[in-house]
Amino acid sequence: MPELPEVETTRRGIAPYLIGRRVLGVTLRRPDLRWPIPPQITTLLPGQRIEAVERRAKYLLLHTEAGSALLHLGMSGVLRVLPPDAPVGKHDHVDIALERTIAQAPRILRFTDPRRFGCLLWQAPGETHELLASLGPEPLTDDFDGDLLWRRSRGRKAAVKLFLMDNAIVVGVGNIYASEALFAAGIDPRRAAGTVSRARYARLAAEVKRILAWAIERGGTTLRDFISPDGAPGYFFRELNVYGRSGEPCHVCGTPIRQVTLGQRSTFWCPRCQK
């Protein structure tokens, strides 16, 4: 599943082709993805100029005066900017046609989603969609820091890794990056969230910011399905310290990496470096 760096890579890849361009029309090749596609996508979006392309957690929003198209890539979705005559594949479910500009030829934004776990929804002007209403702060902003983690974790018995992955606490820290940040901070992912000190949370927040920022610059972590809008894979997977390395020696101390399931997600850690 694409995580925050992959979604941010997508946003950065498509935004230069979308911002300031008018939507000529929308082609739907099926009426639904994970949920039904609302009628506003075909009745309100055409004719509108895209004013901004925003990421909120793992969602992308195409903002216009009439409202915003809200997209999620799901498990295997991809957004690509293509020529209007690009051949249509079996899983190419949505095309958003964009006007010609002085600098750019006509283009389409194509949403491909083989597993159909993604979504294309609508957010009215001045409103916050229900999927976004309860989300925590963005991890790369000043709203997220160690003090927030420490305050929100008091009294919690859940494993710190599950706490860190809770989108109501902070958005976008998925399985891979939670494992890597906890390793970098020296915290055992199984430790109860309420037992981690303020100082250790300060280091954890700093590592979350560092690792996510670095992963974005590296184009994300391509393990299976994700490719960026230009077809390039992510390269952060080459620099993973613990994720997916069960039984392999720790890069720091040589101790074999261990694996356990927490919250139905595979979790990796070094029993010597993480306490």
Side-chain angles (χ1 to χ4, degrees), residues 253-269:
C253 70
T255 302
I257 299 298
R258 293 185 183 176
Q259 178 179 353
V260 70
T261 299
L262 292 176
Q264 300 181 330
R265 306 297 297 275
S266 294
T267 299
F268 304 86
W269 83 101

Side-chain angles (χ1 to χ4, degrees), residues 61-76:
L61 295 105
L62 312 184
H63 292 302
T64 75
E65 184 177 345
S68 304
L70 175 67
L71 301 103
H72 193 288
L73 298 180
M75 296 291 290
S76 57

Side-chain angles (χ1 to χ4, degrees), residues 216-231:
I216 289 169
E217 293 304 315
R218 299 290 283 164
T221 307
T222 298
L223 295 178
R224 284 177 291 274
D225 298 313
F226 176 76
I227 57 173
S228 67
D230 61 2

Side-chain angles (χ1 to χ4, degrees), residues 150-215:
W150 184 80
R151 291 194 308 271
R152 298 292 301 274
S153 66
R154 295 307 87 190
R156 297 205 180 206
K157 297 181 181 179
V160 64
K161 177 169 177 275
L162 300 181
F163 169 73
L164 186 62
M165 292 177 62
D166 184 346
N167 280 326
I169 303 299
V170 58
V171 301
V173 185
N175 195 33
I176 296 172
Y177 301 104
S179 293
E180 292 297 309
L182 286 163
F183 172 79
I187 300 173
D188 188 322
R190 303 168 299 167
R191 177 180 286 276
T195 68
V196 178
S197 69
R198 186 191 293 262
R200 299 188 84 191
Y201 270 129
R203 182 177 177 187
L204 177 59
E207 292 297 346
V208 166
K209 291 174 181 284
R210 180 186 67 81
I211 287 171
L212 287 177
W214 180 238

Side-chain angles (χ1 to χ4, degrees), residues 20-93:
R21 298 180 80 160
R22 194 177 302 278
V23 174
L24 298 179
V26 178
T27 300
L28 303 181
R29 298 188 180 90
R30 59 176 302 113
D32 60 0
L33 293 171
R34 184 173 184 179
W35 299 295
I37 298 172
Q40 293 92 329
I41 295 296
T42 53
T43 61
L44 295 183
L45 185 57
Q48 294 296 312
R49 192 175 302 279
I50 297 175
E51 300 171 346
V53 180
E54 179 190 7
R55 180 191 54 76
R56 181 69 173 107
K58 298 179 186 179
Y59 295 92
L60 291 171
L61 295 105
L62 312 184
H63 292 302
T64 75
E65 184 177 345
S68 304
L70 175 67
L71 301 103
H72 193 288
L73 298 180
M75 296 291 290
S76 57
V78 177
L79 287 170
R80 294 171 296 159
V81 178
L82 301 170
D85 59 353
V88 177
K90 177 181 179 181
H91 303 296
D92 295 338
H93 303 309

